[in-house]
Short mmCIF file of all heavy atoms in Angstrom, two decimals:
data_model
loop_
_atom_site.label_atom_id
_atom_site.label_comp_id
_atom_site.label_asym_id
_atom_site.label_seq_id
_atom_site.Cartn_x
_atom_site.Cartn_y
_atom_site.Cartn_z
N SER Y 9 14.23 -2.82 28.87
CA SER Y 9 14.00 -1.38 28.95
C SER Y 9 12.94 -0.96 27.94
O SER Y 9 12.80 -1.54 26.87
CB SER Y 9 15.30 -0.61 28.71
OG SER Y 9 15.63 -0.63 27.34
N ARG Y 10 12.22 0.06 28.29
CA ARG Y 10 11.12 0.53 27.44
C ARG Y 10 11.63 1.06 26.10
O ARG Y 10 11.03 0.81 25.05
CB ARG Y 10 10.36 1.62 28.19
CG ARG Y 10 9.17 2.15 27.46
CD ARG Y 10 8.39 3.12 28.36
NE ARG Y 10 7.36 3.79 27.63
CZ ARG Y 10 6.11 3.37 27.54
NH1 ARG Y 10 5.76 2.24 28.11
NH2 ARG Y 10 5.23 4.05 26.86
N LEU Y 11 12.75 1.78 26.11
CA LEU Y 11 13.31 2.33 24.89
C LEU Y 11 13.74 1.22 23.93
O LEU Y 11 13.46 1.27 22.73
CB LEU Y 11 14.49 3.25 25.21
CG LEU Y 11 15.19 3.88 24.00
CD1 LEU Y 11 14.22 4.77 23.22
CD2 LEU Y 11 16.39 4.67 24.46
N ALA Y 12 14.41 0.21 24.46
CA ALA Y 12 14.85 -0.90 23.62
C ALA Y 12 13.65 -1.63 23.02
O ALA Y 12 13.67 -2.04 21.86
CB ALA Y 12 15.73 -1.85 24.42
N ARG Y 13 12.60 -1.80 23.82
CA ARG Y 13 11.39 -2.46 23.33
C ARG Y 13 10.73 -1.64 22.23
O ARG Y 13 10.33 -2.18 21.20
CB ARG Y 13 10.40 -2.69 24.48
CG ARG Y 13 9.18 -3.49 24.04
CD ARG Y 13 8.12 -3.50 25.07
NE ARG Y 13 7.63 -2.12 25.20
CZ ARG Y 13 6.99 -1.65 26.24
NH1 ARG Y 13 6.78 -2.41 27.28
NH2 ARG Y 13 6.57 -0.40 26.28
N ASP Y 14 10.66 -0.33 22.40
CA ASP Y 14 10.06 0.54 21.38
C ASP Y 14 10.87 0.53 20.09
O ASP Y 14 10.30 0.48 19.00
CB ASP Y 14 9.94 1.97 21.91
CG ASP Y 14 8.87 2.12 22.97
OD1 ASP Y 14 8.06 1.19 23.13
OD2 ASP Y 14 8.85 3.18 23.65
N ILE Y 15 12.19 0.57 20.20
CA ILE Y 15 13.03 0.54 19.00
C ILE Y 15 12.88 -0.80 18.29
O ILE Y 15 12.76 -0.85 17.06
CB ILE Y 15 14.50 0.82 19.39
CG1 ILE Y 15 14.65 2.28 19.82
CG2 ILE Y 15 15.44 0.51 18.22
CD1 ILE Y 15 16.01 2.62 20.38
N THR Y 16 12.87 -1.89 19.02
CA THR Y 16 12.70 -3.22 18.42
C THR Y 16 11.36 -3.33 17.72
O THR Y 16 11.27 -3.84 16.60
CB THR Y 16 12.82 -4.31 19.51
OG1 THR Y 16 14.08 -4.17 20.18
CG2 THR Y 16 12.71 -5.68 18.91
N LEU Y 17 10.32 -2.86 18.35
CA LEU Y 17 8.99 -2.90 17.75
C LEU Y 17 8.92 -2.03 16.49
O LEU Y 17 8.36 -2.44 15.46
CB LEU Y 17 7.94 -2.44 18.76
CG LEU Y 17 6.49 -2.50 18.31
CD1 LEU Y 17 6.09 -3.94 18.01
CD2 LEU Y 17 5.58 -1.91 19.37
N THR Y 18 9.53 -0.85 16.53
CA THR Y 18 9.54 0.04 15.37
C THR Y 18 10.28 -0.59 14.20
O THR Y 18 9.81 -0.55 13.06
CB THR Y 18 10.19 1.39 15.74
OG1 THR Y 18 9.47 1.98 16.82
CG2 THR Y 18 10.21 2.33 14.56
N ILE Y 19 11.41 -1.21 14.47
CA ILE Y 19 12.18 -1.86 13.40
C ILE Y 19 11.40 -3.03 12.82
O ILE Y 19 11.36 -3.23 11.60
CB ILE Y 19 13.56 -2.30 13.93
CG1 ILE Y 19 14.42 -1.07 14.19
CG2 ILE Y 19 14.26 -3.24 12.95
CD1 ILE Y 19 15.74 -1.36 14.88
N ALA Y 20 10.73 -3.79 13.67
CA ALA Y 20 9.94 -4.93 13.18
C ALA Y 20 8.80 -4.47 12.29
O ALA Y 20 8.53 -5.05 11.23
CB ALA Y 20 9.42 -5.73 14.37
N VAL Y 21 8.12 -3.40 12.69
CA VAL Y 21 7.01 -2.87 11.88
C VAL Y 21 7.53 -2.34 10.55
O VAL Y 21 6.92 -2.57 9.50
CB VAL Y 21 6.25 -1.78 12.67
CG1 VAL Y 21 5.28 -1.03 11.78
CG2 VAL Y 21 5.51 -2.40 13.84
N LYS Y 22 8.66 -1.65 10.56
CA LYS Y 22 9.23 -1.11 9.33
C LYS Y 22 9.66 -2.24 8.39
O LYS Y 22 9.45 -2.16 7.18
CB LYS Y 22 10.40 -0.19 9.63
CG LYS Y 22 9.96 1.15 10.16
CD LYS Y 22 11.14 2.08 10.33
CE LYS Y 22 10.65 3.44 10.82
NZ LYS Y 22 11.72 4.43 10.80
#
Side-chain angles (χ1 to χ4, degrees):
S9 75
R10 183 174 171 92
L11 179 61
R13 185 190 66 200
D14 288 347
I15 291 173
T16 304
L17 183 62
T18 302
I19 290 172
V21 169
K22 285 185 178 189

